[in-house]
Amino acid sequence: MIRLSTTDASFAQDFAALVDARRESDADVTRDVSTILRSVREEGDAALKAFTLRLDGHDLDESGWQVPLADCAAAFDALDPDLREALELAASRIRAYHEKQRPADTAFTDDAGVRLGARWRAVDAAGVYVPGGRAAYPSTLLMNAIPAKVAGVERLVVVTPTPKGTINPLVLAAAHLAGADEVWRVGGAQAVAALAWGTDRIARVDVVTGPGNAWVAEAKRQVYGVVGIDMVAGPSEIVVVADGQNDPDWIAADLLSQAEHDVTTQSILFTDSPEFADAVVDAVERQLIDLPTGETARIAWEKSGAIVLVRDLAEAMPLVDRLAPEHVEIAVDDPQPLFDLLRHAGSAFLGRHTPEAIGDYVAGPNHVLPTGRRARFASGLGVTDFMKRTSFLQLDAESLAKLGPATVALAEAEGLPAHAQSVALRLR
Amino acid sequence: MIRLSTTDASFAQDFAALVDARRESDADVTRDVSTILRSVREEGDAALKAFTLRLDGHDLDESGWQVPLADCAAAFDALDPDLREALELAASRIRAYHEKQRPADTAFTDDAGVRLGARWRAVDAAGVYVPGGRAAYPSTLLMNAIPAKVAGVERLVVVTPTPKGTINPLVLAAAHLAGADEVWRVGGAQAVAALAWGTDRIARVDVVTGPGNAWVAEAKRQVYGVVGIDMVAGPSEIVVVADGQNDPDWIAADLLSQAEHDVTTQSILFTDSPEFADAVVDAVERQLIDLPTGETARIAWEKSGAIVLVRDLAEAMPLVDRLAPEHVEIAVDDPQPLFDLLRHAGSAFLGRHTPEAIGDYVAGPNHVLPTGRRARFASGLGVTDFMKRTSFLQLDAESLAKLGPATVALAEAEGLPAHAQSVALRLR
């Protein structure tokens, strides 16, 4: 963990180093992934079976390629009632939030008499990757699948590795709740390849979303263009902007909620109170002792954590913009003026009673968010990631007479005579 | 050119072959591009200078790295008045269409007392690639730059190669009209690298858009994630759905307007009239004789052109969906019922007086559209490609009391105790 202050002589340089710190894996998985993709593309199910046997340790012909939808329903019914209700609350709130994202079609006739507009349609099929093992989060399945269903996707395919054949019942329950149409027991780059190109068993989809390890992320990057993907995801981060009036334990827990995900995550506190900064550092240390995920969280905090002292909180906001973080908490009584100063962040959590974790589960906005400074240009997952827009135009003889001559002039200037001709013939 | 009929015994197979035909370059440029990217990332301007000398044949230190904005203004002023007016008409209509795409922010308080919503902001800087040589189209500069400016991008950077030092005055004029803030005389994968990572001279941008050759396309694919990009673009295509009541010459010109772009483009006619199909084939042959771009158009038409006879035009629409083409013309008196059947297309041109070329220049909708069946999942370039969304949440003690327990239950079920703790502490 490093401590900076905007009054340090070396601040500009130190902060630039923090912004540019690479936390992404340097492992060169590009070649491995492209070999796997090629195998699945060429050999289909045989390659899927072989990779699953080798990497996940089970034989798909014996364990079953698919989880029957009835098993998903049964897993849902078997949930502890509190947990089932929590998942249902999450699903209904996520659905309600995303329904407001559905884009409206447009159509109008302008003063040249041209009818024009745009029409949105869902993709036919979407694939959601759900990691196995440690990061098998039912909440992530909901966050990926519900926007697809709200978009109107008719075929929603879940792929998830089941290492040594073990299935996570929470994931199945979430698949049931989200309305998955197929659940396949495959994972890794090989599952992404199957979704992108299809195999005899698994029909190809149009969009692939969902988190995964470095192999999955690289596979998505390599199939981008064959299908749509959500985003190249990297390690998570949280920035907390807090005044001295917060409970240090609350803020420490928020910083650790990010740090516990993975040793590469980053938690940064901006505050105008040196005393509060000290109190948070102490609280982090205290909480780390009993935290079951403390080993991971400590490494992340010590390696990438930071505290930045600012003269006042407004000074923090352009610095936060440079980090363009996945999550920003603004823990003050009146957060709106500071939020108004912010340009680049995946999601913002405003006020003292909005811990980031509330957004991970039940609040409604998506928790699939741009990481690694990509909030400069990217948005969280949403309904339009599962839709596309068709623009349209309709002219008649009269409106073509108005726009035609300019088109002919431009087409000729660009050296495209057939373009010019297709208009000129209709002007005669 | 092939002719198919839905009544052929082999139609299903033949049409599948048409859908799956690969028209994209097989040249393996991946390695070359990654070498160029690495050079520019590591050596910056020195690498840019060296690649430009080698590939474009001029020394940037002598020819100048940038085109002064005053030169762009002068190029605009020097345009033939008709052409200048045509460009102005195009720019104003493109601007008007894209202004309607600007997304609205949302904010609401739900019945749990949670305030939530989403806010859109422009990216800080965007780079537009404009090809040199043959495909140096001022219209494409407008189509890329104007949506960025409508989005609110403050720094709009144009890069364009100037082979042997030659600058295309039309491109400069369009850069002036579109409000470009910088125009750099670099191109190829090296220009994309400079935009993505920045050099001493060229500050990095957040989004890179614009067409280019296979190297440029591959470079964009490789920097995707470092910056946002518009789309991996491939060869263009047009599908024309036409009844027998059209003038065969009009439809032939439309097919050739696509074919003249490049030998890899594809033009496909669906019609329910065999006589009309014959007449179009004859008209294409006649027009090819005098067409200045006929050599290219003939190769494209002979290699990838197709005519598909259908029993009735409604039968064509699901077939068009399988092609998910960049452009679809529906040349009938009442196009709306057929358009209602269509799901996958980049842009639609409705009625007999809407040649695709009108959309390339002055109509208003963007002409940067998904190619190679990507309209299954991708949209044309638009204002939101230069913007991103920040979701936000604000709870108070009361609303947190409502959503908190479910969050704690889910976080514990997912094995994320610090997540649970960050909420539980605030519930006490």
Side-chain angles (χ1 to χ4, degrees):
Chain A
M1 192 267 294
I2 59 162
R3 285 183 75 147
L4 308 177
S5 167
T6 54
T7 59
D8 294 344
S10 62
F11 178 76
Q13 197 178 331
D14 296 343
F15 190 75
L18 186 69
V19 168
D20 290 333
R22 263 178 71 80
R23 292 176 295 123
E24 317 221 349
S25 161
D26 273 318
D28 190 353
V29 298
T30 308
R31 196 179 313 174
D32 287 359
V33 165
S34 87
T35 305
I36 294 173
L37 297 190
R38 197 174 325 112
S39 294
V40 174
R41 194 177 174 185
E42 287 169 5
E43 294 156 38
D45 291 323
L48 270 186
K49 181 179 150 93
F51 284 119
T52 302
L53 191 60
R54 171 140 61 96
L55 301 170
D56 294 341
H58 65 104
D59 182 334
L60 284 164
D61 287 332
E62 284 166 22
S63 58
W65 286 70
Q66 278 185 267
V67 180
L69 293 183
D71 291 7
C72 297
F76 183 75
D77 293 337
L79 284 178
D80 169 90
D82 283 354
L83 200 53
R84 193 167 63 221
E85 273 171 41
L87 267 186
E88 283 176 321
L89 176 68
S92 74
R93 290 187 57 94
I94 296 166
R95 191 172 293 115
Y97 182 85
H98 286 81
E99 272 168 1
K100 292 182 197 286
Q101 283 183 349
R102 226 171 359 210
D105 293 348
T106 53
F108 57 100
T109 301
D110 67 17
D111 49 17
V114 179
R115 193 169 83 91
L116 67 179
R119 201 171 72 173
W120 288 89
R121 288 288 181 274
V123 303
D124 289 337
V128 173
Y129 189 96
V130 181
R134 170 135 191 230
Y137 298 144
S139 59
T140 297
L141 197 157
L142 297 183
M143 291 287 183
N144 281 271
I146 290 173
K149 281 292 176 185
V150 169
V153 172
E154 287 180 9
R155 179 172 162 257
L156 179 69
V157 183
V158 170
V159 294
T160 187
T162 54
K164 302 208 162 91
T166 311
I167 303 181
N168 182 332
L170 268 176
V171 167
L172 298 196
H176 169 76
L177 184 58
D181 298 295
E182 302 166 17
V183 179
W184 295 88
R185 300 177 63 172
V186 291
Q190 59 273 22
V192 175
L195 290 173
W197 286 290
T199 68
D200 286 344
R201 288 175 185 267
I202 306 180
R204 66 162 179 72
V205 303
D206 302 299
V207 170
V208 176
T209 71
N213 61 20
W215 276 259
V216 172
E218 175 62 20
K220 283 167 64 184
R221 213 183 61 77
Q222 291 191 20
V223 300
Y224 169 65
V226 178
V227 290
I229 67 170
D230 48 346
M231 181 32 69
V232 179
S236 284
E237 64 261 332
I238 191 172
V239 165
V240 180
V241 178
D243 61 21
Q245 307 308 307
N246 288 281
D247 183 329
D249 265 318
W250 294 12
I251 301 301
D254 298 351
L255 295 170
L256 289 174
S257 75
Q258 202 61 37
E260 75 175 338
H261 269 300
D262 189 284
V263 296
T264 60
T265 55
Q266 183 166 48
S267 304
I268 301 180
L269 170 65
F270 286 80
T271 183
D272 55 358
S273 163
E275 300 74 26
F276 180 70
D278 292 339
V280 170
V281 171
D282 291 347
V284 164
E285 288 302 323
R286 260 194 331 271
Q287 292 183 23
L288 273 172
I289 294 167
D290 293 326
L291 190 67
T293 52
E295 198 180 335
T296 298
R298 180 181 294 282
I299 296 172
W301 176 243
E302 290 180 354
K303 201 169 72 170
S304 304
I307 293 183
V308 182
L309 272 177
V310 287
R311 293 179 190 84
D312 58 69
L313 296 183
E315 189 186 23
M317 304 318 284
L319 300 172
V320 176
D321 272 342
R322 285 181 55 200
L323 292 161
E326 185 184 11
H327 309 105
V328 178
E329 288 182 11
I330 302 179
V332 298
D333 277 332
D334 180 18
Q336 192 63 41
L338 290 173
F339 184 43
D340 287 342
L341 297 176
L342 182 71
R343 292 176 55 85
H344 306 310
S347 194
F349 303 83
L350 307 177
R352 304 194 196 281
H353 288 85
T354 316
E356 185 275 325
I358 206 85
D360 281 339
Y361 296 106
V362 298
N366 213 288
H367 81 200
V368 180
L369 295 165
T371 57
R373 304 184 57 235
R374 296 187 185 89
R376 291 181 293 124
F377 57 83
S379 307
L381 189 66
V383 168
T384 54
D385 290 305
F386 300 97
M387 303 183 80
K388 69 271 172 10
R389 190 177 56 213
T390 299
S391 56
F392 64 86
L393 270 180
Q394 183 165 11
L395 281 74
D396 55 17
E398 202 180 334
S399 50
L400 187 65
K402 289 179 189 160
L403 303 189
T407 302
V408 172
L410 288 165
E412 283 175 352
E414 290 191 352
L416 295 171
H419 283 64
Q421 168 111 321
S422 71
V423 174
L425 282 174
R426 287 170 166 94
L427 293 178
R428 276 175 199 161
Chain B
M1 191 268 294
I2 59 164
R3 284 183 76 147
L4 308 176
S5 168
T6 54
T7 58
D8 294 344
S10 62
F11 179 75
Q13 196 177 333
D14 296 342
F15 190 75
L18 185 69
V19 168
D20 290 333
R22 265 178 71 79
R23 290 176 298 123
E24 317 220 349
S25 161
D26 273 317
D28 189 354
V29 297
T30 308
R31 195 181 312 177
D32 287 358
V33 166
S34 87
T35 304
I36 294 172
L37 297 190
R38 197 175 325 113
S39 294
V40 175
R41 194 176 175 185
E42 288 169 6
E43 294 155 40
D45 291 325
L48 270 186
K49 180 179 149 94
F51 284 120
T52 302
L53 190 60
R54 171 139 60 96
L55 301 170
D56 294 342
H58 63 105
D59 182 335
L60 284 163
D61 288 331
E62 284 166 23
S63 57
W65 287 70
Q66 287 193 71
V67 179
L69 294 182
D71 290 8
C72 297
F76 182 76
D77 292 338
L79 285 178
D80 170 89
D82 283 354
L83 200 53
R84 192 168 62 221
E85 272 171 42
L87 267 186
E88 283 176 321
L89 176 67
S92 74
R93 291 188 55 95
I94 295 167
R95 191 172 294 114
Y97 183 84
H98 287 81
E99 272 169 1
K100 291 182 198 285
Q101 284 184 348
R102 229 173 354 212
D105 292 348
T106 54
F108 58 99
T109 301
D110 67 17
D111 48 18
V114 179
R115 193 169 83 90
L116 67 179
R119 203 172 71 174
W120 288 88
R121 289 288 182 273
V123 303
D124 288 338
V128 173
Y129 189 95
V130 181
R134 168 133 193 231
Y137 299 144
S139 59
T140 297
L141 197 158
L142 297 183
M143 290 287 184
N144 281 271
I146 291 173
K149 281 292 176 184
V150 169
V153 172
E154 288 181 9
R155 180 172 161 257
L156 179 69
V157 183
V158 170
V159 294
T160 188
T162 54
K164 303 209 161 87
T166 311
I167 303 181
N168 182 331
L170 268 176
V171 167
L172 300 195
H176 170 76
L177 184 58
D181 299 294
E182 300 166 20
V183 179
W184 295 89
R185 301 176 64 172
V186 292
Q190 58 274 21
V192 175
L195 291 172
W197 287 290
T199 68
D200 287 343
R201 288 174 185 267
I202 307 180
R204 66 162 179 72
V205 303
D206 303 298
V207 170
V208 176
T209 72
N213 61 20
W215 276 259
V216 172
E218 174 62 19
K220 283 168 63 185
R221 212 182 62 76
Q222 290 191 21
V223 300
Y224 170 65
V226 178
V227 291
I229 67 170
D230 48 346
M231 182 30 71
V232 179
S236 284
E237 65 262 332
I238 191 171
V239 165
V240 179
V241 177
D243 61 21
Q245 306 309 306
N246 289 281
D247 183 329
D249 266 317
W250 294 12
I251 301 301
D254 297 352
L255 296 170
L256 289 175
S257 76
Q258 202 61 38
E260 75 176 337
H261 269 300
D262 190 283
V263 295
T264 61
T265 54
Q266 183 166 47
S267 305
I268 301 179
L269 170 65
F270 287 81
T271 183
D272 55 358
S273 162
E275 299 74 26
F276 180 71
D278 292 339
V280 170
V281 171
D282 292 346
V284 164
E285 289 302 323
R286 259 195 330 272
Q287 292 184 21
L288 274 172
I289 295 168
D290 294 327
L291 190 66
T293 51
E295 197 178 337
T296 298
R298 180 181 293 282
I299 297 172
W301 175 244
E302 290 180 354
K303 200 169 73 167
S304 305
I307 293 183
V308 182
L309 273 177
V310 288
R311 293 179 190 86
D312 57 69
L313 295 184
E315 189 187 23
M317 303 320 283
L319 300 172
V320 176
D321 272 341
R322 286 180 55 197
L323 292 161
E326 186 184 12
H327 309 104
V328 178
E329 287 183 10
I330 303 179
V332 298
D333 277 333
D334 180 17
Q336 193 63 42
L338 289 173
F339 184 42
D340 288 343
L341 297 176
L342 182 72
R343 293 176 56 85
H344 306 311
S347 195
F349 303 83
L350 308 178
R352 305 194 194 281
H353 289 84
T354 317
E356 185 275 326
I358 206 86
D360 281 340
Y361 296 106
V362 297
N366 212 288
H367 81 201
V368 180
L369 295 165
T371 57
R373 302 183 58 233
R374 296 187 184 90
R376 291 181 293 125
F377 57 83
S379 307
L381 190 66
V383 168
T384 54
D385 290 305
F386 300 97
M387 303 183 81
K388 68 269 172 12
R389 190 178 57 212
T390 299
S391 55
F392 65 87
L393 269 181
Q394 183 165 10
L395 281 73
D396 55 18
E398 202 180 335
S399 50
L400 188 66
K402 290 179 189 158
L403 302 189
T407 301
V408 172
L410 288 164
E412 283 174 352
E414 290 190 353
L416 295 171
H419 282 64
Q421 168 112 319
S422 71
V423 175
L425 283 172
R426 286 171 166 94
L427 293 178
R428 276 174 199 160

